[in-house]
Amino acid sequence: MRRWLRRRRMWFIGSGDGWPVAWRWAGFALVFALVGALGTIIAVQNQKLDALQSSTVSEFEVLKDQFAQAQQKLAHLQGENSVLRETLASQKDVVEQARLVNNTAESQQLADQAMLSELKRQLLVLESENAQLKTDLGFFEAVIPKGKGSTRQRVKTITAARIDPTHLQWRALIVQANKNPDEFKGELVFVVQGQLDGQPWQLNTRDAPTPVSLVQYVRIDGVIVVPEALQVESLTAQLRQSGKLISSATVKVKSK
């Protein structure tokens, strides 16, 4: 009986370290439970990790496909870029050729304009020379005597024009018709005739004659001061020597 009670006591109390046997089994069960729970957690985490890895692999494959497509598009765009560059280069050549042609055309146009201007200038010079030749021809025709019995010295031509209200401009050609003549010295006296305030009016420059000196011919011009209200009708040029009348010529003056 004592032995039995002693065993029972040992079962509840423990073998000698103070822990009952039931508590030990409870501790073992708790450890096993914790280990099982930890295994379960690890298994669940492994499943999640596998699922995540699978999802990551899938996303990586998708991204890889997208990257491959992007590379293809990039290669296509690079090809189009090369084509565009070649087209641009050819267009640049065309534009450069057009610019050269345009510059050539502009240069030719400028050269043509310069040539045209030079031709116009030469034409004006030729026209001026032609007019001068006509003037000289008329002058020499006037100088050459037309028949015998001509006066040795004479007023060949006389012209007059009103250049402003108070000035009458004149120009005269005096010639000697003889061959190898001596020098002639004389004077020109002008007679201006017209109407002033409705009355006949005359001006004689005998008190202020114009000296004349010539061998073969001479051209003389000058200005006569007249009243502003005078209506000039004619101008007479008298060639005199020592007061003697040698020749005369009269020209009508047009009123402005």
Side-chain angles (χ1 to χ4, degrees), residues 142-160:
V143 171
I144 297 174
K146 295 182 180 180
K148 295 181 180 180
S150 300
T151 306
R152 292 180 58 186
Q153 299 89 18
R154 59 176 178 161
V155 180
K156 184 64 178 177
T157 58
I158 179 72
T159 60

Side-chain angles (χ1 to χ4, degrees), residues 55-75:
S55 175
T56 303
V57 170
S58 299
E59 291 180 359
F60 177 75
E61 293 295 333
V62 172
L63 291 176
K64 185 177 179 180
D65 293 338
Q66 292 179 354
F67 180 73
Q69 293 178 1
Q71 283 185 333
Q72 292 179 356
K73 289 183 180 179
L74 179 61

Side-chain angles (χ1 to χ4, degrees), residues 172-227:
L173 171 63
I174 315 298
V175 300
Q176 284 198 97
N178 290 346
K179 203 174 201 180
N180 298 324
D182 296 331
E183 182 182 9
F184 173 81
K185 290 185 178 182
E187 56 191 16
L188 276 177
V189 176
F190 293 96
V191 178
V192 181
Q193 293 183 339
Q195 296 288 327
L196 182 62
D197 297 332
Q199 299 295 325
W201 187 89
Q202 179 176 295
L203 172 66
N204 194 309
T205 64
R206 181 175 297 178
D207 295 335
T210 301
V212 176
S213 177
L214 73 146
V215 175
Q216 194 71 50
Y217 66 89
V218 66
R219 281 184 286 194
I220 310 174
D221 56 55
V223 175
I224 301 174
V225 179
V226 296

